[in-house]
Short mmCIF file of all heavy atoms in Angstrom, two decimals:
data_model
loop_
_atom_site.label_atom_id
_atom_site.label_comp_id
_atom_site.label_asym_id
_atom_site.label_seq_id
_atom_site.Cartn_x
_atom_site.Cartn_y
_atom_site.Cartn_z
N ALA A 16 76.63 107.14 85.67
CA ALA A 16 75.30 107.75 85.61
C ALA A 16 74.99 108.44 86.94
O ALA A 16 75.60 108.13 87.97
CB ALA A 16 74.26 106.67 85.32
N PRO A 17 74.07 109.38 86.94
CA PRO A 17 73.67 110.02 88.19
C PRO A 17 73.24 108.96 89.21
O PRO A 17 72.67 107.93 88.86
CB PRO A 17 72.49 110.90 87.78
CG PRO A 17 72.72 111.17 86.33
CD PRO A 17 73.36 109.92 85.78
N GLY A 18 73.56 109.21 90.47
CA GLY A 18 73.24 108.26 91.52
C GLY A 18 74.32 107.22 91.74
O GLY A 18 74.09 106.23 92.42
N TYR A 19 75.50 107.44 91.18
CA TYR A 19 76.63 106.52 91.33
C TYR A 19 76.82 106.15 92.80
O TYR A 19 76.73 107.00 93.68
CB TYR A 19 77.89 107.19 90.77
CG TYR A 19 79.17 106.63 91.32
CD1 TYR A 19 79.70 105.45 90.83
CD2 TYR A 19 79.86 107.28 92.34
CE1 TYR A 19 80.88 104.94 91.32
CE2 TYR A 19 81.04 106.78 92.84
CZ TYR A 19 81.54 105.60 92.34
OH TYR A 19 82.71 105.09 92.83
N ASN A 20 77.07 104.88 93.06
CA ASN A 20 77.29 104.40 94.41
C ASN A 20 78.50 103.46 94.39
O ASN A 20 78.44 102.39 93.78
CB ASN A 20 76.04 103.67 94.90
CG ASN A 20 76.17 103.18 96.33
OD1 ASN A 20 77.26 102.99 96.85
ND2 ASN A 20 75.04 102.96 96.96
N ALA A 21 79.58 103.86 95.05
CA ALA A 21 80.80 103.06 95.05
C ALA A 21 80.59 101.68 95.65
O ALA A 21 81.26 100.72 95.27
CB ALA A 21 81.91 103.78 95.80
N ASP A 22 79.64 101.53 96.56
CA ASP A 22 79.40 100.23 97.17
C ASP A 22 78.93 99.20 96.15
O ASP A 22 79.12 98.01 96.33
CB ASP A 22 78.37 100.34 98.29
CG ASP A 22 78.91 101.09 99.49
OD1 ASP A 22 80.13 100.99 99.76
OD2 ASP A 22 78.14 101.79 100.16
N LEU A 23 78.29 99.66 95.07
CA LEU A 23 77.78 98.73 94.07
C LEU A 23 78.84 98.27 93.07
O LEU A 23 78.65 97.27 92.38
CB LEU A 23 76.62 99.38 93.29
CG LEU A 23 75.41 99.80 94.12
CD1 LEU A 23 74.39 100.50 93.23
CD2 LEU A 23 74.80 98.61 94.83
N VAL A 24 79.93 98.99 92.97
CA VAL A 24 80.96 98.70 91.97
C VAL A 24 81.54 97.31 92.13
O VAL A 24 81.78 96.62 91.14
CB VAL A 24 82.07 99.76 92.02
CG1 VAL A 24 83.23 99.39 91.10
CG2 VAL A 24 81.52 101.12 91.63
N CYS A 25 81.73 96.86 93.34
CA CYS A 25 82.38 95.58 93.59
C CYS A 25 81.40 94.43 93.65
O CYS A 25 81.80 93.27 93.73
CB CYS A 25 83.16 95.65 94.90
SG CYS A 25 84.40 96.96 94.91
N GLY A 26 80.11 94.70 93.59
CA GLY A 26 79.10 93.66 93.67
C GLY A 26 78.73 93.09 92.32
O GLY A 26 79.36 93.35 91.30
N ALA A 27 77.67 92.32 92.32
CA ALA A 27 77.23 91.63 91.11
C ALA A 27 76.51 92.55 90.13
O ALA A 27 76.46 92.26 88.95
CB ALA A 27 76.30 90.47 91.49
N THR A 28 75.97 93.66 90.61
CA THR A 28 75.24 94.59 89.74
C THR A 28 75.92 95.95 89.79
O THR A 28 75.57 96.80 90.61
CB THR A 28 73.77 94.72 90.19
OG1 THR A 28 73.22 93.42 90.32
CG2 THR A 28 72.98 95.53 89.18
N PRO A 29 76.90 96.18 88.94
CA PRO A 29 77.62 97.45 88.97
C PRO A 29 76.74 98.61 88.51
O PRO A 29 75.74 98.41 87.82
CB PRO A 29 78.78 97.23 88.03
CG PRO A 29 78.35 96.15 87.11
CD PRO A 29 77.40 95.29 87.90
N PRO A 30 77.12 99.84 88.89
CA PRO A 30 76.34 101.00 88.48
C PRO A 30 76.39 101.21 86.97
O PRO A 30 77.30 100.74 86.29
CB PRO A 30 77.00 102.16 89.22
CG PRO A 30 78.28 101.66 89.71
CD PRO A 30 78.25 100.17 89.72
N LYS A 31 75.44 101.91 86.46
CA LYS A 31 75.34 102.23 85.03
C LYS A 31 76.26 103.39 84.68
O LYS A 31 76.62 104.20 85.53
CB LYS A 31 73.91 102.61 84.66
CG LYS A 31 72.88 101.55 85.00
CD LYS A 31 72.81 100.54 83.91
CE LYS A 31 71.68 99.57 84.20
NZ LYS A 31 72.02 98.20 84.01
N THR A 32 76.62 103.43 83.42
CA THR A 32 77.36 104.58 82.90
C THR A 32 76.49 105.23 81.84
O THR A 32 75.51 104.65 81.37
CB THR A 32 78.71 104.16 82.28
OG1 THR A 32 78.46 103.24 81.21
CG2 THR A 32 79.60 103.51 83.32
N HIS A 33 76.83 106.45 81.49
CA HIS A 33 76.10 107.11 80.41
C HIS A 33 77.10 107.89 79.56
O HIS A 33 78.01 108.51 80.08
CB HIS A 33 74.98 108.00 80.94
CG HIS A 33 75.46 109.27 81.61
ND1 HIS A 33 76.06 109.29 82.85
CD2 HIS A 33 75.43 110.54 81.19
CE1 HIS A 33 76.36 110.54 83.15
NE2 HIS A 33 76.00 111.32 82.17
N VAL A 34 76.94 107.79 78.28
CA VAL A 34 77.84 108.47 77.36
C VAL A 34 77.25 109.83 77.05
O VAL A 34 76.11 109.94 76.60
CB VAL A 34 78.02 107.66 76.05
CG1 VAL A 34 78.90 108.40 75.08
CG2 VAL A 34 78.58 106.29 76.36
N THR A 35 78.02 110.87 77.33
CA THR A 35 77.55 112.21 77.04
C THR A 35 78.32 112.84 75.89
O THR A 35 77.77 113.61 75.13
CB THR A 35 77.68 113.13 78.27
OG1 THR A 35 79.07 113.25 78.60
CG2 THR A 35 76.92 112.57 79.45
N GLY A 36 79.59 112.51 75.78
CA GLY A 36 80.43 113.12 74.76
C GLY A 36 80.73 114.57 75.06
O GLY A 36 81.35 115.27 74.27
N GLU A 37 80.28 115.02 76.22
CA GLU A 37 80.49 116.41 76.61
C GLU A 37 81.67 116.49 77.56
O GLU A 37 82.11 115.50 78.12
CB GLU A 37 79.23 116.96 77.28
CG GLU A 37 78.02 116.95 76.39
CD GLU A 37 76.75 117.33 77.12
OE1 GLU A 37 76.83 117.73 78.30
OE2 GLU A 37 75.68 117.21 76.51
N SER A 38 82.15 117.70 77.73
CA SER A 38 83.24 117.92 78.66
C SER A 38 82.66 118.30 80.01
O SER A 38 81.61 118.91 80.05
CB SER A 38 84.11 119.05 78.13
OG SER A 38 85.42 118.89 78.54
N PRO A 39 83.21 117.95 81.10
CA PRO A 39 84.41 117.15 81.28
C PRO A 39 84.09 115.66 81.30
O PRO A 39 82.93 115.27 81.39
CB PRO A 39 84.90 117.61 82.66
CG PRO A 39 83.64 117.90 83.41
CD PRO A 39 82.70 118.50 82.38
N ILE A 40 85.14 114.85 81.24
CA ILE A 40 84.97 113.42 81.44
C ILE A 40 85.09 113.19 82.95
O ILE A 40 85.94 113.77 83.61
CB ILE A 40 86.03 112.60 80.66
CG1 ILE A 40 85.74 111.11 80.77
CG2 ILE A 40 87.43 112.94 81.08
CD1 ILE A 40 86.61 110.24 79.85
N ASN A 41 84.18 112.41 83.49
CA ASN A 41 84.22 112.06 84.91
C ASN A 41 84.61 110.60 85.02
O ASN A 41 84.11 109.76 84.28
CB ASN A 41 82.85 112.28 85.55
CG ASN A 41 82.60 113.74 85.81
OD1 ASN A 41 83.24 114.31 86.68
ND2 ASN A 41 81.71 114.34 85.05
N ILE A 42 85.51 110.33 85.96
CA ILE A 42 86.04 108.99 86.12
C ILE A 42 86.00 108.61 87.60
O ILE A 42 86.31 109.44 88.45
CB ILE A 42 87.50 108.90 85.61
CG1 ILE A 42 87.62 109.44 84.20
CG2 ILE A 42 88.02 107.47 85.71
CD1 ILE A 42 89.05 109.64 83.75
N ARG A 43 85.66 107.38 87.86
CA ARG A 43 85.76 106.83 89.21
C ARG A 43 86.64 105.59 89.13
O ARG A 43 86.52 104.80 88.20
CB ARG A 43 84.40 106.41 89.77
CG ARG A 43 83.33 107.47 89.76
CD ARG A 43 83.65 108.60 90.73
NE ARG A 43 82.52 109.47 90.94
CZ ARG A 43 82.14 110.45 90.13
NH1 ARG A 43 82.80 110.65 89.01
NH2 ARG A 43 81.11 111.22 90.42
N ALA A 44 87.50 105.42 90.10
CA ALA A 44 88.32 104.22 90.23
C ALA A 44 88.05 103.64 91.61
O ALA A 44 88.12 104.37 92.61
CB ALA A 44 89.80 104.53 90.08
N VAL A 45 87.70 102.37 91.67
CA VAL A 45 87.39 101.72 92.94
C VAL A 45 88.24 100.46 93.05
O VAL A 45 88.22 99.60 92.17
CB VAL A 45 85.89 101.37 93.03
CG1 VAL A 45 85.58 100.71 94.37
CG2 VAL A 45 85.02 102.62 92.83
N PHE A 46 88.99 100.37 94.13
CA PHE A 46 89.79 99.18 94.42
C PHE A 46 88.91 98.24 95.23
O PHE A 46 88.50 98.56 96.34
CB PHE A 46 91.06 99.57 95.18
CG PHE A 46 92.04 98.46 95.40
CD1 PHE A 46 92.15 97.38 94.54
CD2 PHE A 46 92.91 98.51 96.48
CE1 PHE A 46 93.07 96.37 94.74
CE2 PHE A 46 93.83 97.51 96.70
CZ PHE A 46 93.91 96.44 95.83
N CYS A 47 88.61 97.09 94.65
CA CYS A 47 87.72 96.11 95.27
C CYS A 47 88.55 94.97 95.84
O CYS A 47 89.50 94.52 95.23
CB CYS A 47 86.76 95.52 94.23
SG CYS A 47 85.70 96.72 93.42
N ASN A 48 88.12 94.49 96.99
CA ASN A 48 88.71 93.30 97.58
C ASN A 48 87.60 92.55 98.31
O ASN A 48 86.91 93.13 99.15
CB ASN A 48 89.83 93.66 98.56
CG ASN A 48 90.62 92.46 98.98
OD1 ASN A 48 90.75 91.48 98.25
ND2 ASN A 48 91.17 92.51 100.18
N ARG A 49 87.39 91.30 97.92
CA ARG A 49 86.34 90.46 98.50
C ARG A 49 84.97 91.09 98.38
O ARG A 49 84.21 91.16 99.33
CB ARG A 49 86.66 90.12 99.95
CG ARG A 49 87.94 89.34 100.10
CD ARG A 49 88.11 88.83 101.52
NE ARG A 49 89.33 88.07 101.61
CZ ARG A 49 90.38 88.44 102.32
NH1 ARG A 49 90.35 89.54 103.02
NH2 ARG A 49 91.45 87.69 102.34
N LYS A 50 84.66 91.60 97.20
CA LYS A 50 83.36 92.18 96.85
C LYS A 50 83.02 93.44 97.64
O LYS A 50 81.86 93.83 97.69
CB LYS A 50 82.24 91.15 96.99
CG LYS A 50 82.41 89.95 96.08
CD LYS A 50 81.25 89.02 96.18
CE LYS A 50 81.47 87.84 95.27
NZ LYS A 50 80.37 86.90 95.30
N ARG A 51 84.05 94.08 98.21
CA ARG A 51 83.82 95.32 98.95
C ARG A 51 84.82 96.37 98.47
O ARG A 51 85.98 96.05 98.21
CB ARG A 51 84.02 95.08 100.44
CG ARG A 51 83.04 94.08 101.01
CD ARG A 51 83.16 93.92 102.51
NE ARG A 51 82.98 95.20 103.17
CZ ARG A 51 83.74 95.62 104.16
NH1 ARG A 51 84.74 94.90 104.61
NH2 ARG A 51 83.54 96.80 104.72
N PRO A 52 84.39 97.62 98.38
CA PRO A 52 85.33 98.68 98.03
C PRO A 52 86.23 98.99 99.21
O PRO A 52 85.75 99.10 100.34
CB PRO A 52 84.43 99.87 97.69
CG PRO A 52 83.17 99.62 98.45
CD PRO A 52 83.03 98.13 98.56
N ILE A 53 87.54 99.09 98.95
CA ILE A 53 88.44 99.48 100.03
C ILE A 53 89.03 100.86 99.81
O ILE A 53 89.54 101.46 100.73
CB ILE A 53 89.55 98.43 100.28
CG1 ILE A 53 90.39 98.21 99.03
CG2 ILE A 53 88.97 97.13 100.77
CD1 ILE A 53 91.63 97.39 99.30
N ALA A 54 88.92 101.36 98.56
CA ALA A 54 89.34 102.73 98.28
C ALA A 54 88.64 103.18 97.01
O ALA A 54 88.39 102.38 96.10
CB ALA A 54 90.86 102.82 98.10
N ALA A 55 88.30 104.46 96.96
CA ALA A 55 87.65 105.02 95.77
C ALA A 55 88.22 106.40 95.49
O ALA A 55 88.55 107.17 96.41
CB ALA A 55 86.13 105.11 95.97
N VAL A 56 88.35 106.71 94.21
CA VAL A 56 88.92 107.98 93.74
C VAL A 56 87.98 108.56 92.69
O VAL A 56 87.41 107.83 91.88
CB VAL A 56 90.33 107.75 93.13
CG1 VAL A 56 90.91 109.05 92.60
CG2 VAL A 56 91.25 107.11 94.14
N HIS A 57 87.86 109.87 92.69
CA HIS A 57 87.07 110.60 91.70
C HIS A 57 88.01 111.51 90.92
O HIS A 57 88.80 112.25 91.51
CB HIS A 57 86.00 111.44 92.41
CG HIS A 57 85.29 112.38 91.52
ND1 HIS A 57 84.84 113.61 91.93
CD2 HIS A 57 84.92 112.29 90.22
CE1 HIS A 57 84.23 114.22 90.94
NE2 HIS A 57 84.27 113.45 89.89
N GLY A 58 87.95 111.43 89.60
CA GLY A 58 88.80 112.29 88.76
C GLY A 58 88.00 112.90 87.63
O GLY A 58 86.94 112.41 87.26
N TRP A 59 88.52 113.96 87.06
CA TRP A 59 87.87 114.64 85.95
C TRP A 59 88.88 115.47 85.19
O TRP A 59 89.94 115.81 85.68
CB TRP A 59 86.72 115.52 86.43
CG TRP A 59 87.18 116.69 87.24
CD1 TRP A 59 87.44 117.96 86.79
CD2 TRP A 59 87.48 116.70 88.63
NE1 TRP A 59 87.88 118.74 87.84
CE2 TRP A 59 87.91 117.99 88.97
CE3 TRP A 59 87.44 115.73 89.63
CZ2 TRP A 59 88.29 118.33 90.27
CZ3 TRP A 59 87.80 116.08 90.92
CH2 TRP A 59 88.22 117.36 91.22
N MET A 60 88.54 115.75 83.96
CA MET A 60 89.34 116.64 83.13
C MET A 60 88.53 117.01 81.89
O MET A 60 87.50 116.39 81.62
CB MET A 60 90.66 115.98 82.72
CG MET A 60 90.52 114.79 81.77
SD MET A 60 92.11 114.11 81.25
CE MET A 60 92.62 115.31 80.02
#
């Protein structure tokens, strides 16, 4: 969802997603270790 924050991904309250069904698809991958992000990637197609 708009306002995505990678810092929240590894915590207890992850960010929201929203289904659009429209192009492109947006993807985030976050590698978490000990409740903290250590790497994040943004992809789309």
Side-chain angles (χ1 to χ4, degrees):
Y19 157 80
N20 182 337
D22 291 328
L23 300 176
V24 173
C25 302
T28 308
K31 303 276 186 226
T32 60
H33 72 287
V34 178
T35 63
E37 299 173 7
S38 209
I40 186 171
N41 283 290
I42 308 168
R43 305 292 192 279
V45 181
F46 187 28
C47 300
N48 191 29
R49 298 190 179 114
K50 298 184 181 181
R51 298 185 57 223
I53 60 169
V56 178
H57 171 214
W59 67 94
M60 67 177 283

